[in-house]
Amino acid sequence: MTPTAHPGTAAIVTPHPADTRAPKGGFAALTIGALGIVYGDIGTSPLYALDQIFFGHAGVAVTPDSVLGGISLVIWTITVIVAIKYAIFVLRAENDGEGGVFALYGLLHEYKRRGTTVILWALMLGAGLLFGDGFITPAISVLSAVEGLGVATPSLARLILPITVVLLTALFAVQFNGTARVGRVFGPVLLVWFVVIAGLGAFQIAHHPEILAAFNPWLGIRFLWHTGAYEALLVLGALMLVITGGEAMYADLGHFGAKPIRTSWFAVVYPALLLNYLGQGAYLLSGAPIREGNLFFSLVPHAFIYPMVLLATVATVIASQALISGAFTLASQAIRLGLFPRLVIAHTHHAHAGQIYVPFVNWGLYAGCILLVLAFGSSSALGAAYGLAVSGVMVITSIAMIPISRFYWHWGSLPIGVLWGFLAAVNGTFLLASTLKFLEGGFVPLTIGIIVFLIMITWRWGRKATSSAYSARPAMTMEALVRLHRDSEVFMERNAILMAPKPLRQPTDRAPALLGLLLERYGILPRNLFFVEVTHRKVPYIHDDRYKVTVFYRDRFQGSIIGVEVQFGFMEDPNVEQVLEAMARHKKIALPTNRHRWIVHISLENLLPSRTMGWAKRLQLRLFMVLRRLSQPAHSYYGLGDEVQLSAEIVPVRVR
C-alpha cells in the first residue's frame, strides 16, 4: 500500500502562535513597558560609566579639554551604536516578530550553504557571551546603586557589600513567582528614573552651558588623538559601559515591537542619557569636589541623597530583573534550537508563554553574581570586567547583518560595505580596547561565554552522533512492517505511540529500532501503531503546517500504521501530548481522545564509545553524558507521560 501524506494546520495548538508572539497592550502601554524591560541596563549606566573614564582604569586627568572630549565621545558612541545601528537598522532584522542572536541564527540558518556557517558559529558564541554578561550586570548595577549610601553617610560604607548581597539574594529568590505583577510597575518606575536623571543633568547644564560644545564630534576625536594610543584604548574600553544594555533593544523586539521600542528610545531614554552625561561633564567643569569618588551621586543635592539611593536601587533591581528574564528566554531558545540541554522550564503565567523560570540558570547566575560582588568589592573594580562580552556580541551582530542585508533586504555591495563595514570597524575597535581589561576581570565574562559555547557545540554534536548511531541499528522497513501487520492475527489492543528519530515518509524508510525490541519482548504488534517525530524548525513560530500525517496502512478490522511529524518553532512550548490529543479531537488521526487509552514507548540510550574513538572524542562524549544528566529526558520535555502511560526500553548505542 502506498502511504498517503496529509499536512495539518497550526490552528489546533493552544495557545495559537500568533497570540503568543503578538505584543500585549496598547501602543502607550508597550512604549512605557519597554522603558523598564528594554532600557533598565543602559538606563542605569550613568551610575558608574563616567567614573571609569576619569577615576577608574582609564584615569584621564580632569581638564576642560578632556571633559569636553570625553563627553563628546560618550554622546557619539551612544548615537552611532545605539541610536543609528540598533534603533534604525538592526530592529528591521526581525524573524517573525522576534529579535536577538538566535533570531539572526534562524534567519541565516537556511543560507548556511551560501557562506553563513562561520557566522552561525559566531552567533552561538555571541549567545554564550550574553550569558557571561548576565553574571556581571546585576552585580555591578545593584552594587553601584547601594554605593550611594557611602556618599550620603561615609560611615555606612562598610554595609555596602552586605546590603548588595541581601538585595541580590532576594531578587533571585523570588524569580519562581514570575514577573507579571512586578512587571506592571517596571515602566513607570524607570520613567521616573529617566525624568530625574535628566533633571539632574539639566540643572548642571544650566549652570555650565559650555558643556554643550561636546556635541562637536571633533572634540572627541582630538581628545583621543592627543591622549596616546594605549591611553586611548583604555578610554574606549571604559566607553563600552555607556552602551552596555543597548543590545537588549533587539533582544526584546518580540515582547514590544519595533515602534514602541524606537519611540521610548528617542522620546525618553536617549535625551535623558544625553542630558545626564552632559550634566556630569558640566559638574566636572565646575571644579566642585567629587564626593566619595562617585560622580553621579555628586550631582544630587545632599538633602535628596537617600531618596536618590532608593530610586537608583529600585532602578538597578529592575534592570537586573529584566536581564535575568532575558537569560531565561535565551536559554529556552537555545534548548528549542537543539543547542542546549533540556533544562527544566516552569511557566509562571498561564496566559503569557514568554514568562518562564529556569531554575538552573537562575541559581547559576545568582552564584556568579555573589562571587563577583565579594571578589571585586566595588562597582569601579567590576567595571574592569564589564564590556568585553558586550563588545564581542556587537561585533558579531554587525557581521551577521551583512548577509541579512544581502539576502533579505537585497542591498548592494556599496551600501553594505559603507554601513556595516563602518559599524563593524567601530565595534571592532571597542572590542580591541576591551581586551585590555582581560587580566583586570574581562576574562570572567569571556571564560563564561566560551564555556557556554563549548556546551552548545558539544550538545549539538552529541545529539547528532546519538541519533546517527541509533538510526544505524538494524531495523525493518516500513514496507516490511506493513506486511507483517497485515498478516498478523493477534494484536495488542492498546494504541501504541513510538517516538521516531526522523520523519517516516516512504515504504523504504526504516522503522525505529525500538519497534524491533518491542516485537522481541511481546511477540505481537499493536493494532494501532503511531510513529511520532518532533521537528524543531529554525523559526520562532509555525504558521503553516504544524503536522504531517503519513498513512502507511489502514484497515477497518486490522488497525493502522501511521507516521506523524509534529513541528515546533524555537519560541513555542513543544507539548506533543496536547498536539496529538487535539489531532484526535479534530479527527486528523484515528487515535482516541482519551489519553489513558494510549501507551507511549520510548527508548533510553545507553551511550558507549566506539572502539576506534580517539581520546578527544571520548572527552567530548563524557562531557555530553554529564550534560545529559542535567537534561530532562526527551519524553518529559515533550510533555509525554503527563497523562499517558510510558514504556521505556534501554538501548545500547555505540557513538562514533
Side-chain angles (χ1 to χ4, degrees), residues 422-441:
F422 169 73
L423 290 173
V426 171
N427 290 140
T429 303
F430 278 109
L431 177 60
L432 175 63
S434 297
T435 58
L436 299 180
K437 301 179 179 182
F438 182 81
L439 295 179
E440 285 73 26

Side-chain angles (χ1 to χ4, degrees), residues 21-24 27 30-32 34-35 38-39 82-83 86-99 248-267 409:
R21 72 181 177 92
K24 302 292 190 294
F27 177 75
L30 289 171
T31 301
I32 294 175
L35 292 175
V38 179
Y39 298 114
V82 184
Y86 278 97
I88 295 177
F89 291 103
V90 176
L91 282 181
R92 295 181 58 201
E94 56 89 19
N95 186 348
D96 197 12
E98 296 294 330
M249 184 182 290
Y250 181 48
D252 290 315
L253 177 61
H255 294 127
F256 300 98
K259 190 174 181 181
I261 289 176
R262 286 193 182 105
T263 301
S264 57
W265 168 256
F266 286 110
W409 302 344

Side-chain angles (χ1 to χ4, degrees), residues 230-369:
Y230 180 74
E231 290 76 12
L233 288 176
L234 291 177
V235 171
L236 291 175
L239 273 176
M240 273 303 302
L241 300 185
V242 307
I243 54 173
T244 51
E247 72 283 352
M249 184 182 290
Y250 181 48
D252 290 315
L253 177 61
H255 294 127
F256 300 98
K259 190 174 181 181
I261 289 176
R262 286 193 182 105
T263 301
S264 57
W265 168 256
F266 286 110
V268 179
V269 182
Y270 185 42
L273 290 176
L274 294 187
L275 284 171
N276 190 262
Y277 283 123
L278 285 166
Q280 292 189 45
Y283 188 88
L284 289 174
L285 287 179
S286 71
I290 308 300
R291 288 179 285 182
E292 298 298 317
N294 192 301
L295 178 56
F296 177 85
F297 283 104
S298 297
L299 271 63
V300 182
H302 195 274
F304 296 100
I305 283 287
Y306 286 108
M308 194 63 202
V309 170
L310 178 62
L311 177 61
T313 302
V314 173
T316 54
V317 167
I318 289 174
S320 302
Q321 173 61 68
L323 186 137
I324 295 167
S325 300
F328 294 162
T329 301
L330 197 66
S332 69
Q333 291 176 351
I335 291 169
R336 287 160 186 167
L337 283 168
L339 301 174
F340 220 61
R342 295 179 292 264
L343 302 175
V344 174
I345 299 176
H347 292 270
T348 59
H349 196 284
H350 70 281
H352 299 278
Q355 293 195 14
I356 57 176
Y357 169 63
V358 187
F360 184 85
V361 173
N362 182 70
W363 295 112
L365 287 176
Y366 169 73
C369 286

Side-chain angles (χ1 to χ4, degrees), residues 190-256:
L190 263 294
L191 179 60
V192 172
W193 166 259
F194 285 119
V195 170
V196 170
I197 67 171
L200 290 173
F203 180 80
Q204 296 295 328
I205 295 170
H207 286 78
H208 299 279
E210 61 270 25
I211 191 63
L212 295 176
F215 277 104
N216 182 356
W218 172 247
L219 295 180
I221 296 172
R222 187 178 64 182
F223 166 63
L224 282 180
W225 182 263
H226 292 291
T227 300
Y230 180 74
E231 290 76 12
L233 288 176
L234 291 177
V235 171
L236 291 175
L239 273 176
M240 273 303 302
L241 300 185
V242 307
I243 54 173
T244 51
E247 72 283 352
M249 184 182 290
Y250 181 48
D252 290 315
L253 177 61
H255 294 127
F256 300 98

Side-chain angles (χ1 to χ4, degrees), residues 632-652:
Q632 293 183 84
H635 65 271
S636 177
Y637 176 70
Y638 291 130
L640 293 168
D642 292 347
E643 297 183 29
V644 177
Q645 181 179 340
L646 290 177
S647 168
E649 293 283 341
I650 298 177
V651 182

